[in-house]
Amino acid sequence: MKLIAIDLDGTLLNSQNEISDENKTAIKQAQKAGIEVVIATGRAHFDVQEIFKDTEISTWIIAANGATIHSPDGKLFSSVPIDKETALQAIAWLEEEGYYYEVFSNEAIYTPQKGRELLEIEMDRVKSANEDVDRATLEEAAAKQYSQSGFSFISSPKELEPASIDIFNILAFSFHQEKLNKGWEKFKGRDDLTLVTSAHHNFELEHSQASKGHALTRLASNFNIPLHETMAIGDSMNDFSMMAIAGKRVAMGNARPEIQHIADEITLRNDEHGVAEALKKIYAEKASAPF
Ligand code: CA
């Protein structure tokens, strides 16, 4: 195995959104053994840099669900922004429909000023409609969303119009399943956009040629590494495209059933250092391989 692509949320990060010491050590060992480790996430690049700030680990980073690739020194290697007019139209629709949304760009994660207020109202409604819903769980999901680095608050989508702003990923978030379904119906089957989901309460849009799978293919070819010598580890539907093409597919113990279904192997959960466990198996295989 020469290249390993690892998802962040639900995979490398535990439920406290941290990289455990076990996982850090495993990544450093893999790099020492000459394996190219690549982080592949829906998060924005500057947010990923913040997460790795104190880890002494630098890797290639596939961010915004494959719309950007950055080299370990932080330079943009390639990007596939959404056609600007298409992006602005999608954002206008989300605005009209009253979604909380985030726009990942080269400059910042833009989000409407009133967005958090909107989510508060949604939480109240969901809670009052369903006694079984635990308000704390909803608050936790919202807090995770807000904990990203690089937010810039906008009062109107017009602020996104300048040509200097490249839009890589648009994330819509809602606690109302019907609202998520409506968005899914609105954007599914488009040939100019990729529609994915990375967690329970969201859907995300990118350029049709932007996915973790496309980005992994591009990087592997850059390193002259055949895809059968790559491995992908993930937990959610936005990992499907890279799992589908990687030589070895590892699903987390906490992965969605659809992801476990296409995996060659299921490792431990993210709270049990599942990534470290999967990497350990690779060394074991390497050690026993004939020269
Ligand atoms: Ca994930």
Side-chain angles (χ1 to χ4, degrees):
M1 211 50 66
K2 293 186 172 161
L3 188 157
I4 300 181
I6 308 172
D7 167 53
L8 277 185
D9 292 83
T11 301
L12 186 62
L13 302 180
N14 61 23
S15 42
Q16 272 74 52
N17 293 318
E18 293 161 347
I19 308 172
S20 70
D21 289 341
E22 286 84 345
N23 281 346
K24 280 181 206 162
T25 305
I27 287 180
K28 286 176 185 169
Q29 277 176 346
Q31 289 180 320
K32 218 176 258 176
I35 294 171
E36 198 66 57
V37 176
V38 178
I39 298 301
T41 177
R43 288 181 182 254
H45 172 251
F46 33 76
D47 188 30
V48 182
Q49 278 187 315
E50 190 62 26
I51 291 171
F52 278 87
K53 198 177 60 182
D54 300 319
T55 60
E56 294 165 351
I57 293 170
S58 56
T59 70
W60 284 79
I61 297 172
I62 293 172
N65 286 320
T68 63
I69 304 176
H70 285 80
S71 58
D73 59 4
K75 289 203 185 79
L76 185 65
F77 170 73
S78 75
S79 70
V80 193
I82 305 174
D83 168 71
K84 196 59 183 279
E85 200 48 46
T86 306
L88 293 174
Q89 280 170 10
I91 293 163
W93 186 82
L94 294 173
E95 183 83 22
E96 264 169 44
E97 298 286 328
Y99 282 88
Y100 169 93
Y101 64 87
E102 296 169 357
V103 177
F104 292 33
S105 76
N106 51 331
E107 312 252 329
I109 301 175
Y110 293 105
T111 192
Q113 263 156 11
K114 59 174 193 290
R116 295 182 183 193
E117 211 176 299
L118 263 167
L119 279 191
E120 281 294 316
I121 297 168
E122 281 196 4
M123 278 190 254
D124 289 339
R125 286 203 190 132
V126 168
K127 177 76 193 137
S128 62
N130 188 346
E131 279 301 307
D132 298 337
V133 171
D134 176 20
R135 169 93 192 197
T137 310
L138 303 184
E139 303 250 0
E140 206 175 285
K144 180 166 154 53
Q145 213 56 41
Y146 304 157
S147 70
Q148 299 168 94
S149 303
F151 276 118
S152 176
F153 296 92
I154 55 170
S155 52
S156 155
K158 284 209 171 312
E159 292 172 49
L160 305 175
E161 286 174 7
S164 60
I165 300 176
D166 281 339
I167 296 177
F168 299 130
N169 186 60
I170 302 168
L171 178 147
F173 184 101
S174 175
F175 291 115
H176 292 296
Q177 192 54 47
E178 322 82 73
K179 206 164 164 180
L180 290 175
N181 294 347
K182 191 173 180 186
W184 197 265
E185 284 303 312
K186 165 82 182 168
F187 294 110
K188 78 171 185 193
R190 300 249 313 231
D191 48 21
D192 54 347
L193 288 171
T194 299
L195 171 65
V196 288
T197 177
S198 61
H200 283 313
H201 308 290
N202 72 28
F203 63 85
E204 301 180 60
L205 300 167
E206 300 95 41
H207 187 284
S208 57
Q209 295 298 308
S211 70
K212 291 187 182 188
H214 278 106
L216 178 58
T217 305
R218 183 167 298 183
L219 256 190
S221 124
N222 179 56
F223 293 127
N224 283 320
I225 295 174
L227 284 172
H228 69 86
E229 297 206 62
T230 66
M231 172 168 134
I233 315 178
D235 74 309
S236 199
M237 294 312 286
N238 63 335
D239 298 314
F240 199 96
S241 63
M242 68 169 179
M243 304 269 291
I245 55 151
K248 185 168 181 128
R249 311 127 192 247
V250 178
M252 299 299 291
N254 51 290
R256 297 254 308 220
E258 299 94 321
I259 294 296
Q260 293 196 347
H261 185 71
I262 61 161
D264 302 309
E265 202 171 281
I266 297 170
T267 186
L268 300 173
R269 303 178 62 84
N270 63 327
D271 281 332
E272 299 165 333
H273 329 291
V275 169
E277 180 67 19
L279 294 183
K280 266 183 228 156
K281 281 201 176 152
I282 297 296
Y283 310 136
E285 281 165 24
K286 241 189 162 166
S288 62
F291 289 96

